[in-house]
């Protein structure tokens, strides 16, 4: 399974009542594929506010994305959680719908050992025929899967990739030690180009909602050997990479992103509690950031 170089972790549009806005969801899928050049979409990842989506909503979103994308990009279902049993169940349900792959986050809160993480991902992978992408994001899970454990998991045939947010060092170690068919994706937009330089295959991105086409150009420039040109593009895009997450103060993803999309004319709504919309000062910063695009 080739998920491509640019994968967007898609937001979930809501209406004024906090329900899924299906009309806007279809528009966002089209926009991300056609204008922002996404090769794959992650549906119901953290950027899609998976912690506050009910299982029924997730399955509806998987099915809707598949039907609307119509093969124009791959659909990766966010089916991981801190319960192995529930992750197996949701992954199997997503497989029945026909998704192209599953994204499995490191179990959060319960902080398993490395052996516990290995057995968690092994059990889910062996319960499905779907290609599996691991997702290591220690800033959100309070636990980090080691490079060594990731390399053990890379030997399982249908564990085909990882989204790595720990460090460039860890990206390097995994890229150096994994089978040739195993692909490492950066999960940090600002590290896209540095990660490519040490062996990553691509990026699972948030910023690609608004600068995906430029990110695709940067990746292609690097792959074509135009390193200086890629660096120039990275430098140009860097304020957006950082600004979407930092604002005047750190704003949880996807609050800032949704505000930016609304400013750009996409009616994606706000966020579900416990997330909140940006403050006045944060909103002013985001408006300035959007105006610079």
């Amino acid at each position: 399974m080739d998920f491509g170089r640019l994968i967007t972790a898609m937001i979930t549009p809501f209406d004024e009542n906090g329900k899924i806005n299906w009309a806007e969801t279809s528009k966002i899928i089209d926009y991300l594929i056609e204008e922002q050049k996404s090769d794959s979409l992650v549906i119901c990842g953290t950027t899609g506010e998976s912690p506050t989506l009910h299982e029924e909503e997730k399955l509806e979103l998987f099915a809707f994305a598949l039907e609307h994308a119509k093969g124009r990009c791959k659909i990766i279902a966010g089916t991981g959680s801190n319960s192995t049993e529930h992750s197996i169940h949701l992954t199997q349900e997503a497989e029945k719908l026909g998704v192209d792959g599953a994204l499995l986050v490191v179990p959060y809160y319960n902080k398993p050992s490395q052996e516990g993480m290995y057995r968690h991902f092994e059990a889910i992978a062996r319960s499905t025929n779907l290609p599996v992408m691991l997702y290591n994001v220690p800033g959100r899970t309070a636990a980090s899967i080691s490079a060594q454990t990731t390399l053990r998991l890379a030997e399982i045939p249908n564990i085909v990739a990882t989204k790595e947010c720990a460090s460039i060092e860890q990206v390097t170690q995994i890229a150096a030690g994994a089978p040739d068919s195993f692909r490492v994706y950066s999960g940090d937009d600002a590290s896209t180009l540095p990660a490519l330089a040490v062996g990553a295959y691509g990026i699972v991105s948030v910023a690609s909602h608004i600068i995906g086409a430029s990110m695709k150009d940067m990746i292609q420039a690097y792959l074509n050997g135009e390193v200086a040109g890629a660096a120039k593009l990275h430098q140009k895009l860097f304020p957006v990479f950082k600004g979407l997450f930092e604002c005047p103060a750190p704003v949880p993803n996807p609050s800032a992103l949704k505000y930016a999309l609304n400013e750009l004319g996409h009616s994606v709504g706000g966020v579900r509690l416990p997330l909140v919309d940006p403050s006045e000062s944060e909103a002013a910063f985001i408006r300035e950031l959007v105006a610079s695009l």
Side-chain angles (χ1 to χ4, degrees):
M1 176 60 65
D2 184 3
F3 294 127
R5 303 281 183 172
L6 180 67
I7 302 173
T8 298
M10 196 182 88
I11 55 97
T12 301
F14 296 132
D15 62 22
E16 62 275 9
N17 297 313
K19 303 297 184 182
I20 296 172
N21 184 333
W22 294 106
E24 190 61 31
T25 300
S26 67
K27 293 177 184 177
I28 285 291
I29 291 171
D30 289 339
Y31 162 76
L32 291 175
I33 296 170
E34 296 168 7
E35 295 187 38
Q36 299 300 351
K37 310 303 181 185
S38 298
D39 298 310
S40 294
L41 300 177
V42 173
I43 307 299
C44 303
T46 309
T47 302
E49 298 178 69
S50 57
T52 60
L53 292 170
H54 306 301
E55 180 176 319
E56 294 79 7
E57 291 176 315
K58 292 180 181 181
L59 293 173
E60 288 174 353
L61 280 162
F62 299 155
F64 186 90
L66 282 165
E67 173 62 25
H68 194 75
K70 296 187 186 304
R72 292 175 293 162
C73 74
K74 299 295 192 298
I75 299 299
I76 304 170
T79 59
S81 72
N82 61 350
S83 165
T84 307
E85 182 179 6
H86 184 257
S87 298
I88 288 172
H89 164 72
L90 190 57
T91 302
Q92 291 176 337
E93 292 301 306
E95 182 177 10
K96 292 175 187 176
L97 293 171
V99 300
D100 298 294
L103 181 73
L104 304 178
V105 69
V106 165
Y108 39 86
Y109 187 81
N110 40 21
K111 298 179 73 173
S113 66
Q114 292 300 311
E115 183 61 24
M117 290 186 204
Y118 178 85
R119 295 187 190 182
H120 170 81
F121 290 121
E122 178 191 36
I124 303 168
R126 296 201 187 282
S127 76
T128 181
N129 291 314
L130 288 174
V132 167
M133 180 184 292
L134 309 175
Y135 179 18
N136 188 36
V137 57
R140 287 182 179 268
T141 60
S144 183
I145 188 169
S146 69
Q148 292 74 23
T149 302
T150 301
L151 292 173
R152 283 181 69 196
L153 288 163
E155 298 298 328
I156 296 173
N158 64 323
I159 297 183
V160 300
T162 188
K163 175 185 176 183
E164 182 56 64
C165 300
S167 66
I168 288 292
E169 178 181 348
Q170 188 138 313
V171 169
T172 306
Q173 291 173 327
I174 297 168
D180 291 341
S181 59
F182 186 85
R183 289 174 173 171
V184 183
Y185 289 85
S186 174
D188 173 23
D189 283 312
S191 298
T192 304
L193 186 58
L196 289 172
V198 299
Y201 186 77
I203 175 72
V204 181
S205 176
V206 171
S208 56
H209 282 83
I210 58 175
I211 53 172
S214 295
M215 294 178 70
K216 199 73 170 289
D217 289 343
M218 178 184 71
I219 293 168
Q220 194 57 53
Y222 177 80
L223 296 174
N224 290 344
E226 301 164 8
V227 177
K232 286 291 185 185
L233 279 168
H234 170 77
Q235 292 159 10
K236 179 181 178 181
L237 300 175
F238 189 76
V240 179
F241 293 153
K242 300 299 286 184
L244 283 176
F245 285 91
E246 294 187 354
C247 294
V251 177
N253 171 37
S255 300
L257 173 61
K258 279 191 158 180
Y259 189 90
L261 284 166
N262 285 319
E263 284 293 301
L264 290 168
H266 304 282
S267 301
V268 299
V271 289
R272 285 180 174 175
L273 288 170
L275 297 182
V276 295
D277 295 330
S279 68
E280 283 301 318
S281 62
E282 291 160 353
F285 177 89
I286 298 165
R287 287 194 296 271
E288 184 175 338
L289 192 68
V290 168
S292 72
L293 295 175

